[in-house]
């Protein structure tokens, strides 16, 4: 199905309906701003995201890099000083030279965390996806240091009822979540997948995750019920069309990942009007 025309983003922070799924800005606002850039995360917040999602790889010298792909080839802009290469083969200094759209650079996780703040100073929770399993321990350390031990000790964030954790570690790789939990067991986890199975839910139970994520096209009502039975929240991803938005609403979910938060917010409001 062809996605409907996007509505322009609001000039100020929009009002958010709390009875709708919490919108997660995918790589910020990936449809309308260069993905996984500071500018994209700032726009995602301004246009209605209640949470943000980013991806993390490691440079060759072991520094975190917020980028989705294992290479820079797809996202590097034509006039970037460096246009090709694997993230794991490039130093952080080399990655700093890469331009990834509209003159934006590949940020570090700390730079994204610095940007994940609303105009009123309220923090926007961040879903930090571990793309390279080797990044799991560095990411957990960064989150622990950034927010401080007192923040993580203040509440049992792994409790599925806790919705205000400053960050989650998410991954398709169970071993990455295990490593993050070894580093800081108080950081909540989200195990995600393209298609569920009994093994997936058993792994989620063993890991003690607070959320599970399922691709919208592959989600079934049984998955929704299994998540509820486990006492965990459900994230559905990634809605890029009205058809996908409708399906997510019909299934029911706690959070919904989208590429264009302004469009998704406006369409959800229309879809649920009596």
């Amino acid at each position: 199905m062809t996605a409907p025309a996007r509505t322009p983003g609001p000039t100020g922070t929009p009002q958010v309906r709390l009875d709708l799924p919490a919108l997660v800005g995918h790589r910020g606002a990936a449809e309308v701003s260069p993905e996984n850039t500071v500018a994209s995360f700032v726009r995602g917040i301004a246009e209605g995201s209640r949470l943000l999602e980013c991806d993390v790889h490691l440079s060759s010298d072991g520094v975190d890099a917020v980028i989705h792909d294992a290479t820079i080839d797809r996202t590097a802009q034509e006039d970037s000083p460096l246009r090709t290469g694997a993230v794991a083969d490039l130093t952080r200094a080399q990655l700093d030279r890469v331009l990834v759209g509209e003159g934006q650079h590949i940020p570090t996780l700390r730079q994204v965390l610095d940007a994940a703040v609303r105009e009123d100073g309220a923090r926007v929770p961040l879903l930090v996806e571990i793309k390279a399993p080797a990044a799991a321990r560095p990411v957990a350390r960064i989150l622990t240091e950034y927010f401080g031990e007192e923040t993580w000790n203040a509440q049992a964030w792994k409790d599925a009822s806790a919705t205000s954790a400053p960050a989650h570690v998410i991954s398709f790789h169970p071993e990455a979540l295990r490593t993050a939990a070894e580093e800081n067991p108080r950081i909540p986890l989200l195990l995600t997948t393209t298609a569920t199975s009994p093994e997936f839910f058993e792994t989620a139970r063993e890991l003690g995750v607070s959320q599970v994520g399922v691709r919208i096209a592959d989600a079934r009502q049984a998955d929704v019920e299994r998540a509820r039975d486990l006492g965990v929240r459900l994230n559905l991803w990634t809605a890029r069309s009205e058809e996908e938005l409708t399906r997510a609403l019909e299934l029911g979910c706690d959070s919904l990942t989208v590429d264009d938060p302004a469009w998704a917010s406006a369409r959800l409001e229309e879809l649920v009007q009596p």
Side-chain angles (χ1 to χ4, degrees):
M1 176 179 177
T2 302
R6 269 45 174 167
T7 55
T11 56
T13 302
Q15 295 296 313
V16 176
R17 288 261 311 255
L18 297 180
D19 57 329
L20 294 174
L23 292 184
V24 181
H26 189 222
R27 309 176 201 170
E31 175 69 21
V32 293
S33 190
E35 66 180 57
N36 275 321
T37 63
V38 167
S40 189
F41 295 115
V42 170
R43 183 162 182 177
I45 294 170
E47 297 191 348
S49 298
R50 287 172 59 190
L51 303 94
L52 296 170
E53 183 268 356
C54 71
D55 307 286
V56 181
H57 283 272
L58 283 187
S59 66
S60 64
D61 48 349
V63 183
D64 54 288
V66 175
I67 183 172
H68 178 271
D69 297 359
T71 74
I72 65 171
D73 298 40
R74 178 178 64 85
T75 50
Q77 61 190 60
E78 290 187 4
D79 60 346
S80 174
L82 193 61
R83 293 184 56 191
T84 187
V87 176
D89 293 337
L90 299 170
T91 66
R92 183 64 232 196
Q94 289 175 307
L95 291 171
D96 286 340
R97 297 169 52 210
V98 180
L99 301 177
V100 289
E102 300 177 5
Q104 290 286 305
H105 294 268
I106 298 171
T108 64
L109 179 55
R110 286 183 177 86
Q111 289 172 325
V112 176
L113 289 166
D114 287 344
V117 181
R118 301 190 190 283
E119 290 184 356
D120 63 2
R123 292 213 60 87
V124 178
L126 192 63
L127 306 183
V128 185
E129 182 172 347
I130 306 298
K131 285 297 184 183
R137 197 171 299 279
V139 162
R141 288 175 178 168
I142 290 167
L143 294 177
T144 300
E145 294 168 3
Y146 190 92
F147 293 106
E149 290 285 353
E150 65 280 3
T151 296
W152 296 113
N153 289 335
Q155 187 167 349
W157 299 117
K158 291 175 73 173
D159 180 350
S161 66
T163 59
S164 55
H168 282 65
V169 172
I170 78 175
S171 189
F172 287 88
H173 308 290
E175 64 272 23
L177 298 183
R178 290 191 182 95
T179 299
E182 289 172 2
E183 186 65 31
N184 184 346
R186 293 179 178 84
I187 298 175
L189 307 177
L190 190 163
L191 181 65
T192 194
T193 186
T194 52
T196 61
S197 66
E199 292 75 21
F200 169 80
F201 283 108
E202 178 60 23
T203 300
R205 186 193 64 77
E206 291 174 356
L207 289 169
V209 304
S210 65
Q211 299 189 56
V212 292
V214 185
R215 185 166 60 186
I216 294 170
D218 298 288
R220 300 292 181 266
Q221 194 61 46
D223 299 325
V224 178
E225 294 167 2
R226 186 65 186 272
R228 298 293 180 266
D229 289 343
L230 285 177
V232 300
R233 296 191 299 280
L234 175 66
N235 168 259
L236 294 179
W237 57 272
T238 297
R240 300 183 175 97
S241 70
E242 185 169 335
E243 181 181 44
E244 290 167 326
L245 283 177
T246 301
R247 177 166 176 75
L249 280 177
E250 289 175 347
L251 286 168
C253 61
D254 300 288
S255 63
L256 177 59
T257 301
V258 298
D259 279 348
D260 187 343
W263 164 78
S265 181
R267 292 299 298 125
L268 283 174
E269 289 281 358
E270 294 174 8
L271 288 169
V272 300
Q273 284 182 356

